[in-house]
């Protein structure tokens, strides 16, 4: 619903209209047109529009990287609290108003105790969505892109061998899997999204120009690497979940 609302506010109804210096409106003049010109500028430097899309995609992802890091950390903090939140929901399973108020109160106390803001992950998402949608518009509405080819496909037409849509779907699945990091097992809705998003991306990629599929592939690969890098130190410094088990195997006893 959030993505749909932002997309509507971002002017998705103009997606079939070419973007030029004569395009009017704040959205076109200050977001879509500058991104379109950046793609054209990098293409003139490299001599290839496909390479330009890859470079500009990475640049855009680097610009919003601080917001993504904040979102990932907030998501990880919420995932760490899921077991305790589940216990609270079981403790206050009754649906009467008084019980639900107690549940809300203890849930907020749990957030405060661990310094977690449940809304912290929403703001970075809201800020970055217009940028990503603007880049999507820039690719779709820059007519020069459709006139060029890259590797085995024409940027303005569908991938004839369906390689990009499949890679985009697989990359989306891996990226979703890494970001959810165990919460899918605890939340059936999250598990459904784990499969729904890649399927949607494949369907869209099969019907949209290959330039957009290329953008999705590069963007998702960047996010996969970003998530692995951010989570790697935590994996290294994570304590042994069962230190006493090793002592017992070695013959040690707890005193």
């Amino acid at each position: 619903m959030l993505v749909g609302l932002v997309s509507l506010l971002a002017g998705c109804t103009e997606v079939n209209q070419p973007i030029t210096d004569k395009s009017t409106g704040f959205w076109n003049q200050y977001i879509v047109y500058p991104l379109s010109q950046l793609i054209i500028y990098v293409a003139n430097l490299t001599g290839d529009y496909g390479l330009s899309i890859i470079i500009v995609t990475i640049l855009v992802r680097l610009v919003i990287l601080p917001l993504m890091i904040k979102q990932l950390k907030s998501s990880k903090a919420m995932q760490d609290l899921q077991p305790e939140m589940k216990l609270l929901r079981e403790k206050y399973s009754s649906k009467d108003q008084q019980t639900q108020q107690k549940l809300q109160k203890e849930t907020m106390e749990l957030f405060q105790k661990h310094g977690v803001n449940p809304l912290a992950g929403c703001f970075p998402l809201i800020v970055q969505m217009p940028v990503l949608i603007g880049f999507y518009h820039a690719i779709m509405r820059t007519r020069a892109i459709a006139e060029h080819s890259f590797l085995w496909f024409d940027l303005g037409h569908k991938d004839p061998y369906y390689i990009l849509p499949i890679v985009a779907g697989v990359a989306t699945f891996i990226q979703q899997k890494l970001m959810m990091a165990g919460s899918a097992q605890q939340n059936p809705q999250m598990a459904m999204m784990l499969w729904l998003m890649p399927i949607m991306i494949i369907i869209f990629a099969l019907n949209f120009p290959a330039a957009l599929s290329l953008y999705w592939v590069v963007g998702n690969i960047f996010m996969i690497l970003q998530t692995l890098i951010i989570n790697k130190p935590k994996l290294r410094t994570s304590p042994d979940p069962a230190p006493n088990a090793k002592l017992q195997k070695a013959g040690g006893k707890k005193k």
Side-chain angles (χ1 to χ4, degrees), residues 1-12 27 125-134 137:
M1 291 175 64
L2 175 63
V3 173
L5 178 61
V6 174
S7 301
L8 180 62
L9 295 176
C12 282
W27 170 251
L125 180 64
I126 293 173
V127 172
Q128 65 182 289
M129 282 307 296
V131 177
L132 297 178
I133 295 173
H137 271 237

Side-chain angles (χ1 to χ4, degrees), residues 73-131:
K73 288 182 176 179
S74 175
S75 176
K76 181 64 170 61
M78 288 296 295
Q79 289 168 12
D80 291 342
L81 291 181
Q82 286 303 310
E84 295 183 57
M85 292 175 64
K86 183 179 179 182
L87 292 176
L88 284 178
R89 287 193 293 267
E90 293 175 352
K91 180 180 178 182
Y92 299 104
S93 58
S94 178
K95 299 300 181 183
D96 62 274
Q97 183 177 359
Q98 186 177 3
T99 303
Q100 289 301 301
Q101 288 177 348
K102 291 181 179 180
L103 173 60
Q104 293 176 6
K105 180 182 178 182
E106 292 203 22
T107 300
M108 293 306 299
E109 290 175 353
L110 178 65
F111 290 154
Q112 293 174 359
K113 176 182 176 182
H114 294 275
V116 174
N117 184 354
L119 299 178
C122 298
F123 179 73
L125 180 64
I126 293 173
V127 172
Q128 65 182 289
M129 282 307 296
V131 177

Side-chain angles (χ1 to χ4, degrees), residues 56-71:
V56 177
T57 299
I58 294 174
L59 288 176
V60 170
R61 290 288 178 179
L62 287 173
V63 169
I64 65 175
L65 182 60
L67 293 174
M68 290 298 301
I69 292 175
K70 187 173 182 180
Q71 182 185 346

